[in-house]
Amino acid sequence: MKPTLTFETLELPVAELSPESSAPDLMGEKILQNQLTFDLEEGDDIHPGYGRVENSYPYRQFNTYTRTLTKQKVDTAVLENRHLRAVFLPGYGGRLWSLEDKAAGRDLLYTSDVLQFSNLAVRNAWFSGGVEWNIGIIGHNPFTTAPLYTARLEEKGVPVLRMYEYEQVRGVCYQMDFWLGEEDKFLNCRFKIINENSGVTPMYWWSNIAVPEYEGGRVVVPAEKAYTLKNMCVYKTDIPVVNGVDVTAYNDIPTSIDYFFDIPEAAPKFIANLDRGGWGLLQRSTGRLVSRKLFCWGNQPASDHWQEFLTRKAGRYVEIQAGLAKTQYGCLPMPPHSEWEWVEQYGPVQLDPALLKETHRRRYEAIEDQLAAEGAVEAMERLLEDTASMARRKARLVRPGSAAGALARRGEASAHLEFCCEDQSGKDWAAFLESGVLHCPAPDQRPDCFLADEASLRQLKATVEGCNRGNWYAHYQLGVRLVQNGEYDAAEKQLLASLELAENPWAYHALACLEYRRDNAARCAACIEKGAALRREDLSYQKSAFKLLSTAEAWPAMLRLYENLPERLRANRYLTIHYAIALHRTGRSEEAFALIADPASFVLEDIREGEDLPARLWTEVTAALGQPRPVPYEYNFRAYV
């Protein structure tokens, strides 16, 4: 058959995502990468800590989803030839959702049977399965649950799917072109990051590939060493055997862990996941993607719980990843006015099953031999060069993404990418950039969006004492920007000016985050309690408030707030568990235990990856009552111990 690109729908059980949070994320999470130490040698250049960010601003959190699934029609883009069928989800970060090897009649990827959101991403909501494209800041992409610009074009009669966006934190465009030629047995993926800034920009990219955790399966990668983690310290170790376990046999890995494989510079860049019969997925790339990674949930009760929590009946998975840097513990410096481009290919591989019982070296050499016989490495480099002009051509837009790219001051390098302002929020901000006058919504109306570029910041500063002097929203927006930039005295001045013009919960929230950053717990609690009183029906705001109060250990304020909430919000498990903590901390442990006594009915929808809040509370409360009990399975998410 001739290769095709079609836009279809796929019926899937999908959880209710709900709108993004009403208040911006100025507080952030205790991110693992921000707490590490490093025991490395000269030459282990992994840029530890470079490019870290503390929160997701200007992106807001998705933090009010539920675990209730309903059948929905999900938009897809489908590339197909006689060898492969690739299904993408343009509305969910462009995720490559499935890749069918038609000859085998099997999916090369782990494809979940649901879209079940959990708190694992930069913006909280994340779902398992497929291949996720992560750019800009450490962690899962800000666009993981958001639509990308989607377009189509043709190259020499072959249809090409293009998806792209403007990433605000780094101020860069990224572009992804996908196609299948008539006889291609591998999906072609061409990527481009465009840095039009005048300064060096920290950059991050990892293609995150979910693959089935086959019984007796193996990961194959051309490396003899890997970076990993022990007791919060990153170190380099020989592989495949680490602490008595062959880490290429992922069934044997006991706890959740990452292995970043240190591939020699001259070696071909690939990673494969094979079943016991030697069949599976091979991911390969041009040289810019220097690293590969294995993430395994491990094999213990908490690991099992996470696997079950993220799906319905799709089974277990592991992640194999491909990245720009040696690890995910830091970004790379991307020069100003530069473009980074590379090709990735995804397709089936078959090794002699007997090789799975051979050495790690023998297995990866067998794949190296296959690549050499096919001339695959050289062919990918030629493909990258031959499609350079295609990557600069305009495509026909099929569906839009965010307004951020239209509002940014971009240059010629990204001129072929069409950005637009389709919603009122984008149009309002475009009018501000043109006239200097910012729209002024009612004080109880949710803020529409936030910007992160220097040009809009300069314009806000220039207009709050002029045409926007009496605009509470302009003072608020500038105050938020100054909090994010660490200019706390100037931020406080603007936020107080906003409150003087119109009492609003948004300025109270920003002031609370400011005081949190100043380590002033009492003032943080006082501000957020005032704001929360104005947003009693707003679950996302109340979650932000409870998070701040918990950090400030303002237990009496939390008790007051919870007890005055509407019944609908008091039923939310996130708010309830923090209320239980406040009860316990104020000597009311019996009441706290009554709330969490039935683990089967107390499901915390958005427990954070690596967080042990339910287990810790259970342990503390039962001990305080003189009846210590083992942590129930339902509360056990301690997969990293």
Side-chain angles (χ1 to χ4, degrees), residues 167-245:
E167 199 290 291
Q168 291 190 75
V169 174
R170 303 308 186 199
V172 301
C173 295
Y174 72 103
Q175 169 186 335
M176 309 185 294
D177 292 338
F178 305 94
W179 70 95
L180 282 168
E182 190 164 350
E183 293 301 324
D184 285 339
K185 295 182 179 180
F186 279 73
L187 174 68
N188 300 295
C189 314
R190 193 187 196 285
F191 301 92
K192 180 198 288 268
I193 301 173
I194 306 170
N195 178 19
E196 296 177 291
N197 299 299
S198 58
V200 174
T201 299
M203 190 47 57
Y204 175 95
W205 180 281
W206 284 82
S207 301
N208 182 8
I209 309 151
V211 289
E213 184 178 322
Y214 297 123
E215 190 65 36
R218 288 275 186 179
V219 165
V220 183
V221 61
E224 299 285 346
K225 293 182 178 291
Y227 300 95
T228 190
L229 184 66
K230 184 176 183 180
N231 298 326
M232 300 301 287
C233 180
V234 178
Y235 70 102
K236 194 173 183 179
T237 182
D238 293 329
I239 62 164
V241 178
V242 181
N243 298 322
V245 175

Side-chain angles (χ1 to χ4, degrees), residues 54-241:
E54 299 296 330
N55 55 41
S56 64
Y57 181 89
Y59 306 103
R60 283 181 278 186
Q61 299 285 295
F62 287 100
N63 66 351
T64 56
Y65 51 82
T66 70
R67 292 188 62 79
T68 301
L69 295 163
T70 58
K71 281 284 185 73
Q72 297 182 28
K73 289 185 176 180
V74 178
D75 290 338
T76 64
V78 181
L79 286 169
E80 188 169 6
N81 67 6
R82 70 187 188 91
H83 299 293
L84 294 170
R85 187 174 193 270
V87 178
F88 297 83
L89 306 182
Y92 293 90
R95 184 88 56 112
L96 172 57
W97 186 234
S98 64
L99 184 63
E100 181 190 354
D101 174 6
K102 289 185 172 182
R106 295 172 63 184
D107 194 342
L108 290 157
L109 302 174
Y110 171 85
T111 300
S112 182
D113 52 357
V114 296
L115 294 188
Q116 180 70 75
F117 305 112
S118 295
N119 188 356
L120 286 85
V122 169
R123 298 173 71 183
N124 185 322
W126 182 85
F127 60 99
S128 63
V131 185
E132 177 189 29
W133 321 106
N134 298 304
I135 184 174
I137 55 180
I138 295 170
H140 295 285
N141 195 341
F143 296 102
T144 288
T145 54
L148 298 189
Y149 283 89
T150 305
R152 65 181 303 160
L153 67 157
E154 283 198 358
E155 174 70 2
K156 299 177 181 177
V158 174
V160 178
L161 170 66
R162 174 172 294 170
M163 293 184 281
Y164 60 95
E165 250 298 355
Y166 178 81
E167 199 290 291
Q168 291 190 75
V169 174
R170 303 308 186 199
V172 301
C173 295
Y174 72 103
Q175 169 186 335
M176 309 185 294
D177 292 338
F178 305 94
W179 70 95
L180 282 168
E182 190 164 350
E183 293 301 324
D184 285 339
K185 295 182 179 180
F186 279 73
L187 174 68
N188 300 295
C189 314
R190 193 187 196 285
F191 301 92
K192 180 198 288 268
I193 301 173
I194 306 170
N195 178 19
E196 296 177 291
N197 299 299
S198 58
V200 174
T201 299
M203 190 47 57
Y204 175 95
W205 180 281
W206 284 82
S207 301
N208 182 8
I209 309 151
V211 289
E213 184 178 322
Y214 297 123
E215 190 65 36
R218 288 275 186 179
V219 165
V220 183
V221 61
E224 299 285 346
K225 293 182 178 291
Y227 300 95
T228 190
L229 184 66
K230 184 176 183 180
N231 298 326
M232 300 301 287
C233 180
V234 178
Y235 70 102
K236 194 173 183 179
T237 182
D238 293 329
I239 62 164
V241 178

Side-chain angles (χ1 to χ4, degrees), residues 440 464-465 468-479 482 489-504 507-508 511:
C440 187
V464 290
E465 298 304 326
N468 288 312
R469 178 186 292 273
N471 184 337
W472 72 268
Y473 192 58
H475 288 282
Y476 164 69
Q477 282 280 349
L478 178 55
L482 295 170
D489 291 344
E492 184 175 23
K493 177 183 175 182
Q494 295 300 324
L495 295 170
L496 291 175
S498 176
L499 287 168
E500 286 175 10
L501 289 164
E503 187 179 30
N504 65 88
Y508 281 131
L511 280 169

Side-chain angles (χ1 to χ4, degrees), residues 7-30:
F7 294 92
E8 306 173 5
T9 59
L10 174 68
E11 191 170 72
L12 272 176
V14 181
E16 177 73 32
L17 183 60
S18 301
E20 60 188 2
S21 176
S22 55
D25 178 23
L26 297 174
M27 185 180 177
E29 300 280 357
K30 289 185 177 179

Side-chain angles (χ1 to χ4, degrees), residues 111-424:
T111 300
S112 182
D113 52 357
V114 296
L115 294 188
Q116 180 70 75
F117 305 112
S118 295
N119 188 356
L120 286 85
V122 169
R123 298 173 71 183
N124 185 322
W126 182 85
F127 60 99
S128 63
V131 185
E132 177 189 29
W133 321 106
N134 298 304
I135 184 174
I137 55 180
I138 295 170
H140 295 285
N141 195 341
F143 296 102
T144 288
T145 54
L148 298 189
Y149 283 89
T150 305
R152 65 181 303 160
L153 67 157
E154 283 198 358
E155 174 70 2
K156 299 177 181 177
V158 174
V160 178
L161 170 66
R162 174 172 294 170
M163 293 184 281
Y164 60 95
E165 250 298 355
Y166 178 81
E167 199 290 291
Q168 291 190 75
V169 174
R170 303 308 186 199
V172 301
C173 295
Y174 72 103
Q175 169 186 335
M176 309 185 294
D177 292 338
F178 305 94
W179 70 95
L180 282 168
E182 190 164 350
E183 293 301 324
D184 285 339
K185 295 182 179 180
F186 279 73
L187 174 68
N188 300 295
C189 314
R190 193 187 196 285
F191 301 92
K192 180 198 288 268
I193 301 173
I194 306 170
N195 178 19
E196 296 177 291
N197 299 299
S198 58
V200 174
T201 299
M203 190 47 57
Y204 175 95
W205 180 281
W206 284 82
S207 301
N208 182 8
I209 309 151
V211 289
E213 184 178 322
Y214 297 123
E215 190 65 36
R218 288 275 186 179
V219 165
V220 183
V221 61
E224 299 285 346
K225 293 182 178 291
Y227 300 95
T228 190
L229 184 66
K230 184 176 183 180
N231 298 326
M232 300 301 287
C233 180
V234 178
Y235 70 102
K236 194 173 183 179
T237 182
D238 293 329
I239 62 164
V241 178
V242 181
N243 298 322
V245 175
D246 183 344
V247 300
T248 70
Y250 39 65
N251 297 146
D252 298 334
I253 297 175
T255 62
S256 295
I257 197 164
D258 297 325
Y259 289 100
F260 296 94
F261 301 110
D262 188 25
I263 300 176
E265 186 175 349
K269 306 302 185 288
F270 69 83
I271 191 167
N273 177 52
L274 307 180
D275 65 13
R276 64 169 74 246
W279 176 91
L281 173 75
L282 175 64
Q283 186 275 354
R284 61 197 190 192
S285 75
T286 50
R288 187 172 288 280
L289 286 196
V290 301
S291 186
R292 297 297 185 271
K293 168 189 166 181
L294 167 68
F295 166 75
C296 177
W297 279 110
N299 292 277
Q300 58 173 327
S303 306
D304 297 340
H305 195 188
W306 267 115
Q307 294 266 19
E308 296 164 4
F309 200 66
L310 293 168
T311 188
R312 183 182 280 176
K313 296 179 181 178
R316 298 174 64 91
Y317 75 97
V318 297
E319 293 172 0
I320 54 176
Q321 302 190 23
L324 287 171
K326 290 185 178 181
T327 74
Q328 292 171 342
Y329 303 129
C331 299
L332 289 180
M334 186 174 184
H337 305 294
S338 63
E339 299 177 26
W340 285 353
E341 302 176 273
W342 67 94
V343 163
E344 297 180 43
Q345 293 182 328
Y346 293 77
V349 65
Q350 177 70 59
L351 286 190
D352 183 340
L355 284 170
L356 269 66
K357 299 178 181 179
E358 296 280 347
T359 65
H360 166 61
R361 178 187 291 270
R362 182 69 190 91
R363 286 190 291 274
Y364 75 69
E365 285 180 342
I367 293 183
E368 287 180 331
D369 291 344
Q370 285 190 18
L371 296 176
E374 298 167 8
V377 173
E378 296 80 10
M380 282 189 292
E381 295 290 352
R382 286 196 303 272
L383 185 64
L384 179 63
E385 183 177 341
D386 292 345
T387 54
S389 60
M390 178 200 76
R392 293 191 294 269
R393 283 171 41 209
K394 290 188 176 181
R396 181 164 61 85
L397 189 64
V398 175
R399 61 179 291 169
S402 76
L407 299 174
R409 307 239 170 120
R410 298 180 295 107
E412 280 300 313
S414 63
H416 63 289
L417 300 177
E418 179 184 352
F419 292 93
C420 54
C421 292
E422 293 231 325
D423 61 10
Q424 189 58 47

Side-chain angles (χ1 to χ4, degrees), residues 434-468:
E434 184 175 337
S435 69
V437 178
L438 188 64
H439 56 290
C440 187
D444 62 348
Q445 186 175 328
R446 292 163 53 105
D448 48 11
C449 73
F450 297 90
L451 303 182
D453 63 292
E454 288 300 315
S456 63
L457 177 58
R458 286 194 300 270
Q459 193 151 333
L460 275 171
K461 287 180 176 179
T463 60
V464 290
E465 298 304 326
C467 59
N468 288 312

